[in-house]
Structures are given as C-alpha cells and as structure tokens.
C-alpha cells in the first residue's frame, strides 16, 4: 500500500487572482477526472481529494497518506440534494437529517448514513455506512460543482500526523507523493468536521457525535439528544466506525507531546528542553510561570477563546513541532464548545 517518498513532482496551483483561480479550478477538475489525487482547501483542514466513485483513484489517497484501509473516507458532495444519491436516509430520521442539512450545510458537519451501492467499498472500509459532507469553501465548491460528482477526501496529511491548515503544511507532508496542491490560503475553521450519526431515540432523536469538531453540542442539541461517542458505554461499538477517534492520532512528527491536567503534574528532567502549548498565555492559569520554558506558544492570544484556539490549533502545533525542543507540554483547554475537539486531539497527540 505504501509508496516510496517523493516519486513525483508536486505542483502548487495558486488562487490569488481571478485568472489563476479559473485556471486552477480547471486543472483540479481535469486531474480529478483523470483519476488523480489533488490536495484541496476546505474551511476545516486541507483534504486530499479523488473521484469517490473510482476505486483506483481512491486507492491513490490511501497510498499517498499511507493510510490503513480500515479507516474510511468522508465524501464531499456538490449539492445538498446529492446526499440522496450516495446515502439512504431512513424514514425515521429523515426529518432530522433534513433539518441538519438545511442548518449546517455547506459547513463543517459530516453525516454518517447507510450507503448506496454506488459507493465503492474502498471508500467506506467495507462498512455499510458512508460519511457525507458539503464543504463551505469557495474554491472547493467550484471544483466539486464543476467535477459534478462526489469527491472522497480525508485530511491531506500522512496517516496519524497533524492535519494541515495551509498549503505549506500539505507540502511538508505530501510533497513528491501527489501531483497537485490547490493553495486556497489558511483554513478558516482549522479543525476537522464534526462527525455524527442520527438514531431515532425514544422521545427525540439521538445525535451521536463520533468526532467532535467545529459544530458544537450547543448548536446540535436543538435537533436531538446529543451523545458523545467517547463518553458512552458503547465506545467499543462505535470506535472502529470512527477510527480517527482512536488513540495515537494527530501527533507531532518530531516532538513528543504531553497533556498536563494540572501544573503540579509537571516535573522537568534535568538537561531536557520544553515548550509550553498554553491555552490563553495567562500566568493565572498556573503554567506560564511554572518553568523557564524554551518557548511558550499561545492557542488563543486574542479574545476568541476556544473558537480562536480551534482555528490556530494545527498551525501552532506545527510551529512547535519545528522547534528543537525535547518535549511539548500542553495545558488543558476548556471541555466545551470547540474546546472538546481540541482536547480530543491533544489527548490523541499525547504520548501514552
Ligand atoms: P479524515 O477526513 O482524515 O479526518 O478522516 C475521516 C474520518 O471520518 C475517519 O477517520 C472516520 O473517523 C470518519 N468516518 C468516515 N466514514 C465513516 C463511517 N462510515 N462511519 C463512521 N465514521 C466514518
Ligand atoms: Mg485525518
């Protein structure tokens, strides 16, 4: 499945003016039609896209990322109604599905539904369900609309490493492995989509969050009872269905990371160097003045709090990983809103 590093030339296609954007859209669509993979900007993170209905094209995604085939891909549809071409929507949840699609699409919400036979096994890892989203990004939108069919696209990183939120971050990991990256600038949301499954429930629908993300519990609870997969008794049942939720993911490449619940838990080793990944950079949180850190990087230096931290998370992690320190020590972030998604990633990035 894996391929050697840097076997091809990777081109970067710009989108900084109308003329080159038109050309880039044409090139990306032509590449997808030719069964190639293309890295594409979205509002969450960069995706590595291919024709979702062409198993050979999809195989190139797994190869470039060195991603195991049991980890299924999200498919991205051109129109809201395209959902019904790729997934079955059971009658007992159809009202909720319609409400969620009308409220959050295009956007950072992925729905897991029974799949239609048109979806190849390689996309779903053989599961009976398929994960579907409509992206809210102007360049991606033009590409998927002109392509005219679903695009399978996981995050454009090597399996298990940090998700990319800029063209440069994609290049760092996939240069020489893919033919084309569409540079759409920095991603506006910075965290992967919220993934959920809907079940009928007794009094109201159950919204089972398989992966926390930018669409939060507060926004979802208008539509049903929100249950998080990791807090539920049937984790074992749901975990293999959302492999991105398993341990050891989102890890920095070079530098181990440790998440500390409390400042008192930190006991530095002599001769080692440490960087602090701080939530707000506030001494009153107890971490900033705890130690003579080699570097302090702040997730939310402005007043945006968890939302700002979410936008900056992968970018800041990448910068820390490029420093020459022995270990990254992370402060906890609040377990609410987008903070849930950040905490989830910090826990998975941490060395066990
Ligand atoms: P990525 O786009 O790289 O963030 O990865 C997509 C993630 O979507 C996978 O790791 C799974 O967790 C999730 N996913 C994709 N398809 C399904 C599915 N049919 N059921 C549950 N989760 C899915
Ligand atoms: Mg991923």
């Amino acid at each position: 499945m894996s391929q050697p590093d840097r076997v091809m030339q990777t081109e970067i296609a710009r989108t900084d003016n109308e003329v080159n954007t038109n050309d880039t859209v044409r090139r990306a669509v032509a590449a997808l039609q030719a069964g190639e993979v293309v890295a594409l900007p979205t509002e969450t993170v960069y995706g590595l896209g291919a024709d979702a209905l062409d198993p050979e094209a999809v195989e190139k995604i797994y190869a470039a990322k060195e991603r195991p085939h049991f980890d299924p891909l999200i498919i991205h549809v051109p129109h809201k109604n395209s959902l019904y071409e790729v997934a079955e929507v059971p009658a007992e949840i159809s009202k909720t599905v319609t409400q969620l699609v009308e409220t959050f699409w295009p956007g950072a919400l992925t729905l897991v539904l029974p799949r239609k036979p048109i979806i190849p096994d390689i996309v779903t890892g053989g599961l009976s369900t398929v994960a579907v989203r409509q992206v809210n990004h102007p360049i991606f939108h033009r590409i998927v609309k002109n392509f005219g069919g679903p695009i399978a696209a996981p995050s454009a990183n090597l399996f298990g490493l940090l998700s990319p939120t800029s063209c440069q971050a994609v290049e760092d990991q996939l240069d020489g492995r893919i033919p084309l990256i569409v540079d759409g600038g920095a991603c506006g949301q910075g965290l992967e989509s919220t993934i959920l499954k809907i079940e009928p429930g007794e009094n109201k629908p159950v919204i089972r969050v398989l992966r926390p993300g930018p669409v939060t519990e507060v926004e979802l609870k208008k539509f049903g009872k929100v249950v998080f997969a990791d807090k539920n008794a049937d984790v074992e049942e749901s975990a293999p269905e959302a492999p991105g939720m398993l341990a050891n993911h989102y890890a920095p490449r070079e530098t181990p990371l440790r998440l500390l619940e409390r400042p008192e838990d930190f006991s530095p080793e002599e001769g080692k160097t440490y960087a602090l990944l701080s939530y707000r950079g506030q001494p009153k949180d107890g971490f900033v003045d705890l130690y003579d850190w080699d570097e302090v990087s702040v997730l939310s230096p402005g007043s945006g709090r968890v939302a700002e931290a979410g936008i900056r998370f992968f970018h800041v992690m990448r910068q820390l990983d490029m420093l020459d320190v022995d270990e990254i020590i992370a402060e906890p972030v609040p377990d609410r809103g987008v903070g849930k998604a950040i905490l989830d990633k910090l826990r998975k990035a941490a060395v066990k």
Side-chain angles (χ1 to χ4, degrees), residues 67 71-74 112 127 129 131 154-155 195 210-211 241-244:
R67 180 177 177 116
D71 193 355
L73 310 180
I74 296 173
V112 171
L127 294 173
T129 51
S155 50
I195 304 181
L210 303 180
R211 176 174 73 185
E241 290 186 79

Side-chain angles (χ1 to χ4, degrees), residues 151-349:
I151 296 176
S155 50
N157 53 281
L158 291 170
F159 181 68
L161 299 186
L162 298 174
S163 298
T165 54
S166 66
C167 177
Q168 185 63 55
V170 178
E171 222 185 322
D172 287 353
Q173 292 198 40
L174 298 183
D175 185 38
R177 292 171 162 260
I178 59 173
L180 185 64
I181 305 174
V182 173
D183 184 353
C187 300
Q189 301 248 14
L191 291 174
E192 297 93 340
S193 61
T194 303
I195 304 181
L196 52 84
K197 232 177 172 173
I198 303 136
E199 289 153 19
E202 276 179 21
N203 306 318
K204 53 176 167 174
V206 174
I207 296 180
R208 193 174 292 278
V209 178
L210 303 180
R211 176 174 73 185
V215 175
T216 61
E217 184 174 9
V218 171
E219 293 173 280
L220 290 169
K221 71 181 181 205
K222 293 173 211 146
F223 304 96
K225 179 171 184 280
V226 181
V227 179
F228 283 84
D230 56 345
K231 287 221 184 109
N232 203 269
D234 57 10
V235 197
E236 279 183 11
E237 181 251 314
S238 56
E241 290 186 79
M245 296 297 297
L246 293 182
N248 290 326
H249 220 82
Y250 313 112
R253 205 173 194 172
E254 310 290 343
T255 323
L257 177 140
R258 193 154 33 123
L259 173 64
L260 292 191
E261 297 300 333
R262 306 165 312 160
E264 315 72 288
D265 298 338
F266 183 57
S267 48
E269 274 176 53
E270 181 102 30
K272 266 189 149 190
T273 52
Y274 297 91
L276 176 69
L277 176 62
S278 174
Y279 170 46
R280 302 222 60 215
Q282 301 276 5
K284 70 173 169 48
D285 295 331
F287 288 89
V288 173
D289 293 339
L290 183 66
Y291 184 71
D292 186 15
W293 306 102
D294 278 68
E295 173 79 24
V296 176
S297 289
V298 182
L299 282 175
S300 182
S303 55
R305 309 271 172 121
V306 282
E308 183 183 29
I311 292 165
R312 289 169 46 76
F313 177 71
F314 281 117
H315 171 72
V316 172
M317 287 276 277
R318 179 168 166 269
Q319 305 271 314
L320 281 173
D321 197 21
M322 292 192 296
L323 295 176
D324 197 17
V325 294
D326 293 318
E327 198 173 0
I328 301 166
I329 301 296
E331 275 180 40
V333 301
D335 191 10
R336 62 178 149 71
V338 175
K340 268 194 191 303
I342 303 171
L343 262 186
D344 172 57
K345 283 165 218 310
L346 283 174
R347 290 196 180 115
K348 291 190 171 91

